[in-house]
Amino acid sequence: MAPEESAEAESLLPSFERRFLAARTLRSFPWQSLEEKLRDSSGPELLLNILQKTVKHPLCVKHPPSVKYARCFLSELIRKHEAVHTEPLDELYEALAEVLMAEEPTQCHRSYLLPSGDSVTLSESTAIISHGTTGLVTWDAALYLAEWAIENPAAFAHRTVLELGSGAGLTGLAICKTCCPSTYVFSDCHSCVLEQLRGNILLNGLSLEPDTTAPERHPGHNAHDAESPRVTVAQLDWDVVTAPELATFRPDVIIAADVLYCPETVVSLVRVLQRLSACLKDQQAPDAYIAFTVRSPETCWLFTSELAVLPAAVHGEALF
Ligand SMILES: C[S@@+](CC[C@H](N)C(=O)[O-])C[C@H]1O[C@@H](n2cnc3c(N)ncnc32)[C@H](O)[C@@H]1O
């Protein structure tokens, strides 16, 4: 490969790596740039490098993505190769054969590479909705809020963060690993979501403090390491949590991602923020960062108008 071609090919590799590890939609991959590169004689070499950075990546080997996702990705890679080269590339077919023989489990993994070189790996459901909840998979707003947090670590550093509707835990884990909060409280209302969340926190090497709101302890609670944040998981249902219960968290920052998907959740969430502002009168108002995908203009309008009636005690910022 000529030096300039090699540099261009190298920029494609991290792009494929990041997207594949995070199981981003296949249409978000830079397929057109790949097609252009494959037309030269070094195409097969580039494809083998992509294979090593995706399906054969050590993180993927240890924590595999969904079988269906790997199958669709490899099939697309083979299609791109066959469109320009007549000679089959055995390694691609061998990788596909391995995937075709594998059974699809109910859980799969996604890994997010952090700018620090560290990563966040999540075990998730292979179904978008299972056990009657949407909280067993990661949603785009969680990724958006995580990226925003990584670019704005001062918003979280040395502060107590309360996350509402944490789901699989991507945003909180990214914040814990990159933004130095003093305390991070993950929360959700669904028992299966909470169980998966605790597993994901431990999978990422963080220690769990006992949840003071829960009657029994979850295995895996360790002594606190002063270098890392105090991490707890709380069962917190916006519709039933009381002001005194909320007050025990004493949050400096409240965050939530993709929890405004219908009018009912908008109203429930704003009521929680109201209860919080009422019970935290004696401390500085917490900042609130809420990220969501606008699926309906009415829900978005409802949220912004409800925000307007919120007491000034909560400083809110909606990240659309
Ligand atoms: C679409 S998921 C988003 C999960 C995660 N924040 C993300 O963006 O990937 C919505 C989450 O809100 C939680 N949730 C919905 N209603 C809730 C309520 N009333 N109280 C607490 N959590 C709730 C669900 O259990 C689920 O985990």
Side-chain angles (χ1 to χ4, degrees):
M1 238 187 267
E4 66 280 7
E5 280 174 6
S6 158
E8 277 178 47
E10 265 172 35
S11 72
L12 262 185
L13 286 177
S15 191
F16 269 84
E17 181 184 44
R18 297 187 83 80
R19 284 174 172 76
F20 185 82
L21 292 180
R24 305 304 309 269
T25 58
L26 288 190
R27 64 174 182 279
S28 76
F29 284 66
W31 295 112
Q32 206 174 337
S33 308
L34 177 66
E35 276 171 30
E36 286 160 18
K37 302 274 171 308
L38 289 183
R39 285 198 196 99
D40 67 54
S41 59
S42 57
E45 190 187 328
L46 174 59
L47 282 171
L48 293 181
N49 285 336
I50 288 177
L51 195 61
Q52 290 305 321
K53 292 280 181 190
T54 54
V55 182
K56 304 273 181 202
H57 193 291
L59 265 177
C60 274
V61 173
K62 194 168 175 198
H63 302 295
S66 112
V67 170
K68 183 176 171 203
Y69 184 75
R71 174 166 47 78
C72 292
F73 174 76
L74 284 167
S75 304
E76 190 59 25
L77 219 49
I78 289 172
R79 250 195 302 277
K80 297 291 178 223
H81 173 68
E82 287 180 346
V84 279
H85 295 277
T86 47
E87 196 68 20
L89 203 54
D90 290 347
E91 288 84 344
L92 290 184
Y93 288 95
E94 282 160 14
L96 181 62
E98 252 177 63
V99 168
L100 288 174
M101 282 188 296
E103 273 183 38
E104 182 74 274
T106 53
Q107 290 290 116
C108 61
H109 298 88
R110 289 170 192 251
S111 294
Y112 298 88
L113 302 178
L114 301 172
S116 60
D118 197 355
S119 57
V120 171
T121 295
L122 302 170
S123 170
E124 296 191 356
S125 166
T126 43
I128 290 180
I129 299 179
S130 54
H131 300 277
T133 177
T134 53
L136 295 167
V137 296
T138 300
W139 294 83
D140 281 352
L143 182 57
Y144 183 86
L145 187 51
E147 285 173 351
W148 184 87
I150 290 166
E151 285 165 15
N152 296 276
F156 306 95
H158 316 299
R159 305 182 86 192
T160 295
V161 184
L162 169 62
E163 181 177 4
L164 302 169
S166 297
L170 169 67
T171 311
L173 288 166
I175 290 175
C176 287
K177 287 195 169 194
T178 57
C179 303
C180 304
S182 55
T183 300
Y184 198 96
V185 183
F186 291 86
S187 77
D188 209 281
C189 63
H190 197 287
S191 57
C192 296
V193 173
L194 290 167
E195 194 184 329
Q196 182 184 262
L197 184 54
R198 290 188 189 100
N200 280 337
I201 292 166
L202 299 175
L203 180 65
N204 284 278
L206 295 172
S207 302
L208 267 172
E209 302 262 317
D211 170 13
T212 47
T213 63
E216 84 259 24
R217 287 170 67 111
H218 184 270
H221 297 141
N222 294 327
H224 179 67
D225 159 15
E227 292 288 296
S228 53
R230 290 181 178 279
V231 178
T232 51
V233 173
Q235 179 144 30
L236 192 159
D237 187 327
W238 316 325
D239 297 322
V240 297
V241 68
T242 62
E245 280 165 354
L246 284 170
T248 60
F249 298 116
R250 302 192 69 79
D252 303 306
V253 185
I254 299 156
I255 68 158
D258 209 349
V259 293
L260 304 173
Y261 42 84
C262 66
E264 290 74 21
T265 59
V266 171
V267 173
S268 291
L269 188 88
V270 173
R271 297 291 166 268
V272 170
L273 297 179
Q274 277 174 329
R275 257 172 271 156
L276 260 169
S277 67
C279 65
L280 295 174
K281 285 207 175 88
D282 59 328
Q283 73 170 76
Q284 206 193 337
D287 299 322
Y289 301 100
I290 315 286
F292 64 100
T293 299
V294 179
R295 298 192 176 88
S296 117
E298 289 77 25
T299 310
C300 182
W301 177 84
L302 177 65
F303 178 57
T304 44
S305 55
E306 287 277 334
L307 270 189
V309 297
L310 204 64
V314 176
H315 302 304
E317 182 161 340
L319 305 162
F320 299 99

